Every structure is written in structure tokens, then in C-alpha cells.
Amino acid sequence: MVDGRLTLTMVDTGRVPPLLALAALVVTFLVTRGITRMIRAGRGPFRNVDPGGMHIHHVVPGVVLMVIGGFGAVFVEGGVVAESVVAVVFGMGTGLVLDEFALIVHLHDVYWTEQGRASVEVTVLTAVVVGMVLIGSSPFDVDDQGGLQEQGALLWAVNLVVGALIAVVSFAKGKFRMGVLGVVIPLVGAVGAIRLARPKSPWAHRFYTRRPHKLARATRRAARHDAHWNGLRTRFQNAIAGAPSQPRQQGRDRDGPPPPPE
């Protein structure tokens, strides 16, 4: 009975490949971070890949795996096993690419800097959103029964459009995390869209410039929020990705030991 329900839930609804892709993403990201931290500390057998003196970032094999997995998903025809294989390949590639997301954004090596924390945030948000989509891939539990199915599809479409609009407002207000979550949980995005914007956000620049009292309120609220949450977020990121370098160390080779004191 349990096996039958598991097959109905996971296989018949097509959730096995995306679930494996998500698991591969998370595992690859964590393993990669563990290896880079070992290289940084000079422990273990791992070393940087520097053929000809050029450092090969792991975003490169990540892109290759994403291309293989992506095109494999388009062309593969072999049932759930073949789909699962290409899903794992794609998930591994995505994990490697997202681990160096900040490098792609800044177009220079910021892996062990404060800017590099963006890679952790984007990876966590991606995993959370994909996980929620998997859990709610049939959010209305509509059976294949004519009008009920059509009504469920319509509600799903409306929910998606509303969530996207709310997310756009959240982004404009400088609330990236709530905007991303708002795509799949509109209530979360709605909170970000309704509350005051971050003081340096595009929304504040457009609507608060001539309303100094509102800008002052937004500044005070942002300061309170940051004071309450930044410490917890920093400890969480450090636990996963390692603490960023001190300013004097940021010019060194990314994964090597720090330079001697000047």
C-alpha cells in the first residue's frame, strides 16, 4: 500500500526527475563548498586547477554539465530512468554554477569576499523555491474530472500571475528574498509588497524622494530589521560557506592560503 502510494505520488506525477535534480544541486553545492574550504585551509588532497597558470573555476564544468543535462532533457526518450540521469547531471551543473553566482554577477573573483555571500543566498533561495514547487506541483489536488480540472488550472494560472506581479513590486522595494518566495507563495510576496520599501531601493528612489518623513521611516525600519537578522544570517552563511576574507586578503588567490604579513 505504501509503495503503491509512493509510486502514484512520485512516479506517476513526474516528480522523480526534478526531485533528483534538486537533491543533486544541494549535495553538489555542499560538497563543493566543503572542498573549497579544505583547499583554502591547506588541508586534504584537493588543489586548485591551474593549467598553464590559469585558474579554472568550477563554474566552467558546471556550465558544461548544465548544457549536457539541459539538452539531454530535451532529447532523451527512455522513461523515468533516463530522465532521472539527465536531471542529476543538470542538478550537479546547477549546483556548481550557483556556487559561483557572485563571480558571474561581479565578473571577477569575489568567492571569499562579502559579495560572495550572494552565491549562498541564491542557492538557498533556489532550493527552497524548487522544493516548494515540487510540494505544490498539484496545489489544488484536482482530479481529471472535467470542470473541476479546468477550474483548478484557472486558479493555478491566476495564482501564478498574481504571485509574479507581487514579486515584481517586492523586487522594486528592495526585498529580493520575499519577492522570490512570493512567486510560489503570494502571501509572502504580498507582505514584502505592502510594507515600506528599503531606503536605497528603486521604489524608494521613485516615491520617497519628495516624502522625507516616509524615507526616514523606511530607513529606521531597515536599520531595525538588519540589526535583528543580519547576525543570524551571517552565522548561517559562515557555517555553510566559510567566513569571508579580511580586506587585506581579498587580493590573494581565491582558494590558496593567505599571504604573509606585509
Side-chain angles (χ1 to χ4, degrees), residues 44 60 62 111 116 151 159 165-166 168 196 218 236 246:
V60 176
Y111 196 83
Q151 183 182 14
N159 183 68
L165 292 175
I166 290 175
V168 169
L196 286 171
F236 173 74
Q246 298 299 319

Side-chain angles (χ1 to χ4, degrees), residues 211-229:
R211 304 174 68 181
H213 66 285
K214 200 159 191 176
L215 181 60
R217 284 180 54 208
T219 302
R220 290 194 300 269
R221 176 169 291 180
R224 290 197 302 268
H225 177 275
D226 292 345
H228 182 73
W229 291 105

